Amino acid sequence: MAQIIDGKALAEELRGEIRERVENFKKERGKDIGLAVVLVGENQASKVYVRNKIKACEEVGIKSFSYHLPEETSEEQIISLVDELVASENVHGILVQLPLPKHIDEQKVLRRIPPAKDVDGFCAENVGNLAMNRETIVACTPYGVMKMLEKYGIDPKGKTAVVLGRSNIVGKPMAMLLLNADATVTVCHSKTKNLQQVCAGADILVVAIGKAKFVTADMVKEGAVVIDVGMDRDENGKLCGDVDFEHVKDKASLITPVPGGVGPMTITMLLYITVIAASRS
């Protein structure tokens, strides 16, 4: 049976390090590290996520500035708020919770956030720097996955890595991070042919497609490292991932559970990145 990657324990360990760095920042600069979170509308998943972010900030001593705007807020009003936050010396990171209501151009809003305060790692400059293997801010979830691999002694160098999913939030930055770590990387998606065969050749398999228990044991190489980024519900409404954990765990060497795997690392890496952004300010 595979060793279980304990994302919760690793996240707690990292938060201890973050708390220490936040305290040192306060002593050196005489001010708080600030993270601003903007939520527009009543998306329930987004509200829960934002609430968890605010709670996490409190835990490590980061000051959170939370803005919950009504659904009908205009694009101009949101941009005006973002511009105020960009100008504030007390705000080191800005996060606009996606998705935004349909009448708002997400990219237009996100482009107002300068790379130095883009703690989501979504702006074109940060993505471009990642592609060119330059030091930059990286999207939280893929960054968290790399921290997990590092913690468990998995060096991607020379290994075959397959990333299942090509989103801008997880799939693409994940692939670039693995490539920068000298893995040989294949990105798979809905148009990929011979998907089972491609996945079964992976030493490291990262799955982020949003389909419950999609990856079955026949898609996994014996002894592979399996990272499940999915957060789904099974036929009984129980939380599960994109990987059929119960069957795949007997074939993999290391595997992340859902919940308790990648999930706890995402918000922790947001805090970690916010501290980095503050230290560079």
Side-chain angles (χ1 to χ4, degrees), residues 30-55:
K31 62 188 290 188
D32 290 309
I33 293 176
L35 173 65
V37 182
V38 179
L39 171 64
V40 185
E42 300 300 322
N43 181 295
Q44 289 305 309
S46 291
K47 285 168 78 173
V48 170
Y49 194 35
V50 167
R51 194 160 59 241
N52 290 340
K53 287 172 181 173
I54 293 167
K55 184 181 175 185

Side-chain angles (χ1 to χ4, degrees), residues 87-121:
S88 173
E89 293 183 358
N90 297 316
V91 174
H92 301 96
I94 302 168
L95 188 151
V96 176
Q97 186 66 39
L98 304 179
L100 289 170
K102 291 181 180 178
H103 66 279
I104 295 173
D105 183 340
E106 288 184 353
Q107 288 307 311
K108 190 174 179 181
V109 173
L110 294 177
R111 280 196 295 269
R112 308 295 289 205
I113 304 172
K117 291 191 177 186
D118 168 40
V119 288
D120 257 336

Side-chain angles (χ1 to χ4, degrees), residues 115-227:
K117 291 191 177 186
D118 168 40
V119 288
D120 257 336
F122 292 164
C123 82
E125 186 172 328
N126 284 332
V127 173
N129 282 334
L130 174 60
M132 298 176 76
N133 200 11
R134 294 173 175 168
E135 187 179 88
T136 193
I137 291 174
V138 180
C140 303
T141 300
Y143 195 16
V145 170
M146 295 305 288
K147 282 285 181 185
M148 287 176 137
L149 295 177
E150 180 187 324
K151 174 68 176 178
Y152 281 80
I154 305 300
D155 184 357
K157 185 177 182 179
K159 291 183 172 62
T160 299
V162 171
V163 178
L164 189 47
R166 55 176 169 178
S167 73
N168 292 332
I169 297 171
V170 179
K172 289 176 184 175
M174 187 76 254
M176 286 189 280
L177 282 168
L178 287 164
L179 188 61
N180 291 345
D182 297 321
T184 300
V185 183
T186 301
V187 179
C188 296
H189 45 78
S190 59
K191 305 296 188 293
T192 300
K193 295 180 180 179
N194 304 317
L195 183 62
Q196 182 272 333
Q197 185 180 344
V198 175
C199 290
D203 300 312
I204 300 171
L205 178 61
V206 182
V207 190
I209 53 167
K211 292 184 179 180
K213 300 182 182 180
F214 180 85
V215 171
T216 49
D218 66 323
M219 298 172 72
V220 177
K221 179 181 180 179
E222 193 76 42
V225 175
V226 180
I227 306 292

